[in-house]
Amino acid sequence: MSDPTRENLPQGAGAQEPLLEIKDLQVGFQTTGGMVTAVRGVDITLMPGQTLAIVGESGSGKSTTAAAIINLLPGSGRITGGSIRFNGEELTKYSPRQMEEIRGRQIGFVPQDPMSNLNPVWSVGFQVEETIRANGIASGRKAVREHAVQVLREAGLQDADKRLKQFPHQFSGGMRQRVLIGIGLSSRPKLLIADEPTSALDVTVQRRILDHLETLTRDIGTAVLFITHDLGLAAERAEQLVVMYKGKIVESGPSKEILENPQHPYTQRLVAAAPSLASRRIQSATAETAHHALGDLEYAPTKVTEGLDLIAAAEQRLEHIPAPAGDGPRRPDAIVVKDLTKIYKLRGQKKGAANTITASDKVSFAVEKGTTTALVGESGSGKSTVAKMILRLEDPTSGAIMIDGVDVAPLKGKGLLDLRRRMQPVFQDPYGSLNPLRNIGNTIGEPLQIHGVGDRTARRDRVLELLDQVALPQTLITRYPSELSGGQRQRVAIARALALKPDIVVLDEAVSALDVLVQAQILKLLADLQSELELTYLFITHDLAVVRVIADNVCVMQQGRIVEAATTDQVFDSPQEQYTKELLNAIPGAGITLGV
Amino acid sequence: MAGYILRRLLQAVPVLLGTTFLIYFMVFAMPGDPLLALFGDKAPDPALLERLREQYHLDQPFIVQYFLYLGGIFHGDFGTSFSGEPVSAILVRTFPVTIRLAIMALIIEFVGGVLIGLISGLRKGKLFDASALVVSLIFISLPIFVIAFVAQFVFGIQLGWVKTTVSAGAPIQDLILPAFVLASITFAQLIRLTRASVIETEQLDFVRTAYSKGLSRRRIIPVHILRNSLIPVVTYAATDFGVLLVGATVTEGIFNVPGVGRTLYQAIVQGQGPTVVSFVTVMVLIYLVVNLVVDLLYGLLDPRIRYVK
């Protein structure tokens, strides 16, 4: 969208034959209980050189549709109906041998997770070179090697010639994704399928790689089928959008139109729940009105978006927070961190090399009671280390942590137990943080048991009360984590954190692993709970868009240091540091003008 | 790399000291007088008995016996067996035979096991896979001596393809049947392990990516599936070598192989401390070396490990 020539393409393409034409595609998975349909009647038309994005939550069938095109459906998946025409040829009738010719050569593929998509036992050069050789792009050792270097260089990998011999584990996630993009584009395919190509990467890296991919595919004239769960990202990167829900297309058309005027209730909910879009909308509203009153937004929640709308959640949150600094007495600080430093020793380093790493370098900040402070940074910035030290799961190398004015460093035994009672964590992975062998009632009740709160019946009553608080049905008490969805599990984790009526909750990437709609619900829940229980949140995240709707204050961390700390409005309206600006720019949807 | 090998060899020293001490102690603690047992029902001449006791240091306390034995080793003297033959001579005579048998078994096991495991894994749930599973289950359930006797009867007596016993010098053609029998103990486990590993690898993301790159299945199977699947299999084969050495004792008895097994068995029964300890020490040493080799091989198979060292 940043390039005006792209916008003109669809009109000019009217006379052309479509490059990819999917009609009434049906994909099913064979299970013991019979055929389960994952894709039901999908129609997609993609013109040469065009970019089209499929948007949907996990399980919507977006990745399955993409896999069906190149006949790489996982497990027992099969195309059960419909047609896929590529370049005038019917792909569903192709033999496995013929598909080999199409894959790599005519249709490139960039997978989602750069960590698991390169074979760890072969060098990067080997894996690029075998692609070039298999597709007949070049032959002969030297020619293949030269081509591999060229491909990697185009994909934006520095020192490509020197790095050919290195192995994937010696590359960072962003570099691996560049390698995968290089592989995907190595034979100048007519179509590139990019399946969430950057969702596993840091936001700034994501932006750089997507910018690069955009330039590259435009130069080559490759059409892109872009698959993502982020509506803001999709709208920014593609001129056409297809929104999928439960295996069906619920809405499709030009990105701008869909964002501005979503027709289908599901799309309306997605637009309301996408943090990137919500933060942009709040941003433009506050910029225009100059005073930070969200209530001035011409915005009315509708029935379909009820409980999901991030702006509504942010608005509601604003009502209860204390007046801005200076207008009234500041409440006491719940958390004060002073010069907090953590140095890890590294093992197995060569002599002379630095053998320590400073994960947290003189970090200082304070969190006022009943407010939310977000600790923002990319992976490796030290934000989680700070959280762990505050929770006393790691001991700081130096510096002090005061909780409610009490230094926690000397606390042991009973004192530490009391501290833990007042301060509870919620972690990122709702699958890993619940014991699969304990039922929900026991999981939520465990902290009560450990701290010896009440008797059996009292504890059970409290668990039921907590289930109500996090809006889960009481019947879940006897169920097990494997029977719950990701969003439900995260609610259970929150309920467990609230069991002891803590004053402080440390949320370490607590919503990052969730689908947007679920994420919006959890953010809303957190806002509700804060106003109801006067909680103090320390919210650790890499996602500035989420910060915009949940936090009062922001500390931006980079390489173990806090580079900028201010109120959320200040950080968003007038960021001081270059790094903060970069992070803000990385929020998808920068180029989109939204009717507020 | 050289430093790593040296460190591993140095680690072997306390292991060897520990094992020799434990074995020596166990032999010492066995009930009965080894010399009296030699004479059977006859009453021995007390003077002769006294002389023999002195000669084999059996009149000394346990710890002195142990250190006398240990001291001897440093001079290349592994002690003398009751038959008067130096233990070192018996070691040289028997170990090559057993090692030849174990290596043959290992090759049969590895080549066959990996091949069948690979095909089973790639054709999960098909006829080949199902039959391989059933057959391997039978082999896992049967004790080795049953397999040995059946093999001896079918191939040696009924079909007459091979000799039922191994002739002196243990030539390779005579060892083929015992090697197959020996391999059969761990063969089935290897098939199952390879199969599981192949099935797991086949579902990994990079295999799908390999297909998306336009590679053919013929290339993906050896390069991206088999290579990665071998990593756990090789680790298993190392611990397996110990099982093969143990199994060799039984197999050698049945096929009359003049290897370690028979000699060691007799020495244990007769309570010949130095002979037992020397044999076990050499076995431990072989086991340690094999494990070191496998660890080095592991690094070769997996670059992530290579660079950590």
Side-chain angles (χ1 to χ4, degrees), chain A residues 216-502:
Chain A
L216 209 56
T217 48
R218 190 174 47 220
D219 291 350
I220 306 172
T222 298
V224 179
L225 187 64
F226 186 62
I227 291 154
T228 178
H229 65 277
D230 188 334
L231 195 59
L233 195 66
E236 188 181 47
R237 298 292 170 178
E239 50 257 36
Q240 297 285 315
L241 274 189
V242 167
V243 181
M244 278 186 78
Y245 179 61
K246 291 190 172 164
K248 279 192 183 140
I249 292 180
V250 295
E251 193 158 357
S252 67
S255 308
K256 214 171 142 67
E257 275 174 33
I258 290 187
L259 276 198
E260 281 174 356
N261 195 11
Q263 296 299 311
H264 193 274
Y266 177 73
T267 320
Q268 289 169 6
R269 273 149 68 187
L270 273 188
V271 171
S276 53
L277 300 176
S279 71
R280 291 284 170 203
R281 276 186 292 173
I282 296 172
Q283 198 55 30
S284 44
T286 53
E288 275 164 28
T289 53
H291 57 98
H292 312 306
L294 283 170
D296 292 355
L297 283 176
E298 280 181 41
Y299 172 77
T302 61
K303 230 187 173 94
V304 283
T305 59
E306 209 182 328
L308 286 168
D309 200 283
L310 288 177
I311 295 184
E315 190 178 16
Q316 181 192 350
R317 212 181 48 75
L318 274 183
E319 281 165 12
H320 86 274
I321 61 157
D327 287 14
R330 194 179 150 89
R331 299 195 209 178
D333 287 328
I335 307 173
V336 178
V337 166
K338 213 166 173 328
D339 289 338
L340 199 60
T341 303
K342 178 76 192 177
I343 297 171
Y344 287 107
K345 284 203 175 80
L346 295 179
R347 289 187 305 169
Q349 287 288 300
K350 285 199 176 109
K351 270 179 195 162
N355 58 352
T356 59
I357 181 160
T358 309
S360 160
D361 190 2
K362 295 201 172 149
V363 168
S364 304
F365 62 87
V367 183
E368 201 178 331
K369 215 175 172 60
T371 67
T372 302
T373 291
L375 217 51
V376 187
E378 296 184 289
S379 48
S381 62
K383 57 191 193 300
S384 284
T385 307
V386 171
K388 279 185 203 153
M389 287 191 288
I390 292 172
L391 288 166
R392 279 290 308 265
L393 297 173
E394 289 272 1
D395 286 325
T397 310
S398 65
I401 303 161
M402 316 271 272
I403 302 295
D404 291 334
V406 180
D407 187 0
V408 299
L411 291 181
K412 274 193 193 112
K414 176 105 177 44
L416 191 59
L417 206 62
D418 285 345
L419 173 73
R420 298 237 152 102
R421 188 176 177 155
R422 291 209 311 270
M423 181 164 61
Q424 288 284 309
V426 177
F427 294 108
Q428 172 172 13
D429 182 5
Y431 293 83
S433 57
L434 299 181
N435 185 342
L437 299 180
R438 290 181 77 94
N439 71 28
I440 301 308
N442 285 335
T443 298
I444 298 176
E446 193 177 21
L448 299 169
Q449 216 176 337
I450 291 170
H451 290 264
V453 180
D455 57 9
R456 190 175 276 267
T457 24
R459 286 202 288 262
R460 197 188 139 81
D461 290 346
R462 174 76 181 134
V463 169
L464 290 174
E465 187 190 347
L466 284 162
L467 282 171
D468 280 344
Q469 251 171 4
V470 296
L472 284 177
Q474 296 193 342
T475 48
L476 284 189
I477 196 161
T478 52
R479 305 275 286 278
Y480 286 84
S482 60
E483 300 166 58
L484 269 55
S485 70
Q488 285 179 318
R489 286 171 202 229
Q490 203 60 311
R491 282 170 195 264
V492 171
I494 292 169
R496 175 174 59 183
L498 295 178
L500 294 165
K501 302 186 179 163

Side-chain angles (χ1 to χ4, degrees), chain B residues 165-215:
Chain B
T165 55
V166 175
S167 32
I172 288 185
Q173 65 269 25
D174 281 11
L175 286 178
I176 291 177
L177 189 62
F180 263 103
V181 170
L182 186 51
S184 72
I185 353 171
T186 48
F187 193 58
Q189 289 288 359
L190 201 78
I191 291 178
R192 291 178 162 228
L193 187 69
T194 311
R195 176 183 180 271
S197 186
V198 165
I199 291 172
E200 203 189 313
T201 310
E202 211 185 359
Q203 287 165 350
L204 292 179
D205 285 350
F206 61 76
V207 173
R208 188 184 62 153
T209 305
Y211 280 112
S212 80
K213 296 198 295 193
L215 302 187

Side-chain angles (χ1 to χ4, degrees), chain A residues 63 67 70 72 74 97 100-101 103-105 107-109 111-113 116-122 126-128 130-131 133-135 165 167 169-170 180 183 195 348, chain B residues 201 203-220 222-229 231 298-309:
Chain A
S63 289
I70 46 176
L72 282 183
R97 186 85 197 83
E100 269 170 31
E101 295 297 314
R103 285 198 290 258
R105 198 172 298 203
I107 304 181
F109 180 75
Q112 173 168 13
D113 181 3
S116 64
N117 276 292
L118 288 168
N119 189 332
V121 308
W122 294 110
F126 178 93
Q127 297 185 58
V128 181
E130 71 173 355
T131 316
R133 218 172 276 127
N135 293 316
K165 281 210 175 102
F167 287 90
H169 70 273
Q170 293 165 300
L180 287 164
I183 287 173
D195 188 358
Chain B
T201 310
Q203 287 165 350
L204 292 179
D205 285 350
F206 61 76
V207 173
R208 188 184 62 153
T209 305
Y211 280 112
S212 80
K213 296 198 295 193
L215 302 187
S216 65
R217 193 166 158 80
R218 263 175 53 203
R219 178 173 172 85
I220 290 171
V223 174
H224 290 285
I225 296 177
L226 183 61
R227 164 85 190 256
N228 292 65
S229 306
I231 296 169
Y298 200 58
L300 214 66
L301 279 172
D302 192 340
R304 284 165 298 184
I305 292 166
R306 199 183 313 161
Y307 285 86
V308 168
K309 279 172 189 168

Side-chain angles (χ1 to χ4, degrees), chain A residues 494-565:
Chain A
I494 292 169
R496 175 174 59 183
L498 295 178
L500 294 165
K501 302 186 179 163
D503 309 320
I504 302 167
V505 180
V506 177
L507 301 140
D508 192 354
E509 299 275 13
V511 297
S512 308
L514 305 172
D515 274 327
V516 275
L517 293 183
V518 183
Q519 188 182 50
Q521 287 164 354
I522 298 286
L523 286 172
K524 171 89 164 49
L525 172 71
L526 288 172
D528 288 348
L529 289 170
Q530 185 169 46
S531 51
E532 199 181 312
L533 306 170
E534 282 289 295
L535 293 170
T536 306
Y537 289 148
L538 182 61
F539 194 89
I540 287 128
T541 183
H542 67 279
D543 190 352
L544 262 177
V546 173
V547 169
R548 189 62 175 123
V549 296
I550 185 110
D552 305 300
N553 296 294
V554 182
C555 296
V556 180
M557 282 193 77
Q558 186 188 20
Q559 289 170 7
R561 286 197 193 90
I562 291 186
V563 292
E564 184 157 1

